[in-house]
Amino acid sequence: MTEPMTVQAALTRLRQYEERPSPTWSTASYGGGAAESALVDIARTLAAEVERLHAEKATPLPGAKATRREQLLAAIQTEGGGWTPKRALAFYQRLGADVSKQSTAKADLIALVASGDLRVHDVTTKDGELARRTYRLVARARRGDAA
């Protein structure tokens, strides 16, 4: 039994097929040129869906540009301050990322906490109720400082 194809290998093959000027098999049994055109459309759609799903999961494909979370982390490092899901969503919208929900932005902030890049900063009321939660960069030891 053969091993399943990796996502990257499948994406590469789909892109190669999409760029191929002519088919490598007879389309007579598949309905001729219309079927070939439909297969190219399927390849294009599948490739786009694979890329969308990887972006949604924020996992980089080999050779891909920075993930959405990496871009968010870079913005937090550049702009500093406290970040809320609302602020992260506004950043994504300026970036042109396909993110429309604060819950996605919040999940990315939480993932950056889990990876050790951010920390949670809660502000509470006098009664101990959570008033505001922001996410901030973790202070990293500078070179020469004691660990």
Side-chain angles (χ1 to χ4, degrees):
M1 186 170 186
T2 61
E3 291 291 318
M5 186 180 292
T6 66
V7 172
Q8 182 59 36
L11 185 57
T12 299
R13 297 220 16 217
L14 286 168
R15 289 288 182 218
Q16 289 170 344
Y17 182 80
E18 182 181 349
E19 295 167 1
R20 187 167 287 152
S22 62
T24 57
W25 69 85
S26 170
T27 57
S29 61
Y30 296 104
E36 178 68 17
S37 177
L39 289 171
V40 169
D41 288 343
I42 290 168
R44 186 177 295 121
T45 302
L46 288 173
E49 180 66 5
V50 167
E51 290 173 343
R52 185 192 69 77
L53 290 170
H54 273 281
E56 187 176 283
K57 288 177 61 179
T59 56
L61 289 169
K65 294 181 180 178
T67 66
R68 187 181 69 224
R69 287 182 188 154
E70 290 169 337
Q71 291 173 324
L72 177 60
L73 180 59
I76 294 169
Q77 291 167 335
T78 301
E79 297 177 25
W83 282 69
T84 62
K86 184 176 181 178
R87 183 176 178 189
L89 180 61
F91 165 74
Y92 286 147
Q93 290 170 342
R94 286 192 312 271
L95 188 65
D98 186 23
V99 177
S100 61
K101 297 181 181 178
Q102 282 190 29
S103 60
T104 303
K106 182 178 181 179
D108 286 351
L109 291 166
I110 291 169
L112 290 170
V113 170
S115 68
D117 294 304
L118 300 181
R119 64 180 171 80
V120 176
H121 178 77
D122 289 338
V123 176
T124 56
T125 64
K126 291 179 185 177
D127 300 328
E129 299 285 325
L130 179 63
R132 180 177 171 94
R133 172 170 284 173
T134 60
Y135 300 83
R136 297 176 179 271
L137 282 173
V138 170
R140 304 276 185 203
R142 290 175 289 184
R143 278 194 148 140
D145 287 354

